[in-house]
Amino acid sequence: MHVEDILIGMRSGEPQPDAAIEAFVTGVTNGTISRPQAAAWLAWAFRRTLNTQETVALTRAMTKSGHVMRWPEGPTLIDKHSTGGVGDKVSLVLAPLWAELGLRVPMVSGRGLGHTGGTLDKLEAIPGYRTDLTEQELDRVLADVGCFISGQTAELAPADRILYALRNEIQSVESIPLIVASILSKKLAEGVQRLVLDVKTGTGAFMQKYEDSERLGRAMVDVAKGYGVSCMARITAMERPLGIKVGNGLEVEESIDALKGGGPDDLREITLAFAEHPDAAKVLASGAAYERFARMVRAQGGSLDKPLLGSGVTKVVVEAPRAGILQAADARGLGRAAFILGAGRRRAEDPVDFGVGLEVFGRPGARIERGEPLCTVWHRDGHALDEALAMVRTAMPIDDAPVVVSPLLQTMID
Ligand code: URA
């Protein structure tokens, strides 16, 4: 099929046949479709929005644009994906917990962009931890440890790498069909049998409106099932950060607490909900999942005996300016504060600072006394400190009105 016909078809606004979508993805992957041509196709897809059949065809073609991993016979292969939030460290706890429960977890994760953190950035706070394992190394770690958490290899859904970067550049990320195809192509190429999806909703989420989160969850479950993968999505609240710590190294610390049977209640609650296993609570409380995590870290080149990267940061405590009820711990505002301190990145190639971040003690709805610590801000040499402090104060208002806090675990879609 000629490139011109693929583009004219998409430009027409009419639903496109599977063959045209497959030819588009093949052309993007082998370079016969140029970046401007691919960007135009994406912009038209964004404007019109794709129907279910087109979304399935796009997901399938993107999954097959590279190598679909195949694993030897054995225990169930499972993975989880989160649409991203502030303080969302669940993957660091869940992958070793599942492995400890006898499942296999080939987890390919991503980096943070904007105010939400990325699993790979967090793990790279561990000295030596490699997130660029080759497919042979992934095979070995999965066989030896039962889980890995690594980055997308060059062979895994290469079309997504090109298309996602272009969508970012042309401000066309927020399209449900394009998000579905992007996320699922990577997850389906992992060769998993079961996929659980944490679809965040609220101020700190990618999809802020509940109805959009539900539509995204429904669409991902339908497409994954159509592909023969057992799948469940759960909508979870992202109005306040998950757990207390926000920032790369800080989140590794909190994950380790959870893996040892401690850590904050909300992190434990959500991890156990996604674990979907009758023995998950017992195993997590026993601390055995920490040993599994330590094995995974060693197998991926890291050391937990050395301090986490990013030392040399300084803290400032934000205290409550008055007594009253904490009205919010706004996830977006707090995520932005951590971001400008250096915990996040503007462009994919920017470095992150592993040491900076926040510890958010105040819980919305709680009674607060004047002078009580609301949040600790970890900064490096005062970089962006004043702006971050102002953001934290705005994100955590105190008043006398009672507050209704939405439940962490919301609708389940399967
Ligand atoms: N994460 C992805 O991997 N792809 C998207 O399109 C959005 C979020």
Side-chain angles (χ1 to χ4, degrees), residues 81 83 160 164 167 173 178-180 182-183 186 206:
H81 178 82
T83 57
D160 175 63
Y164 192 20
R167 284 166 54 216
V173 170
L178 298 182
I179 297 171
V180 170
S182 168
I183 291 175
K186 286 171 285 208
F206 191 51

Side-chain angles (χ1 to χ4, degrees), residues 140-209:
R140 184 181 48 75
V141 179
L142 192 72
D144 292 352
V145 185
C147 61
F148 62 71
I149 307 181
S150 192
Q152 192 175 352
T153 62
E155 298 88 25
L156 190 120
D160 175 63
R161 205 166 319 106
I162 301 166
L163 294 175
Y164 192 20
L166 277 176
R167 284 166 54 216
N168 262 313
E169 277 180 50
I170 64 167
Q171 304 304 313
S172 298
V173 170
E174 297 89 348
S175 148
I176 289 183
L178 298 182
I179 297 171
V180 170
S182 168
I183 291 175
L184 287 186
S185 61
K186 286 171 285 208
K187 292 289 156 187
L188 297 173
E190 288 174 356
V192 289
Q193 295 151 328
R194 171 91 178 143
L195 182 61
V196 297
L197 301 165
D198 181 357
V199 183
K200 305 281 185 200
T201 194
T203 66
F206 191 51
M207 293 284 165
Q208 295 187 38
K209 287 201 229 122

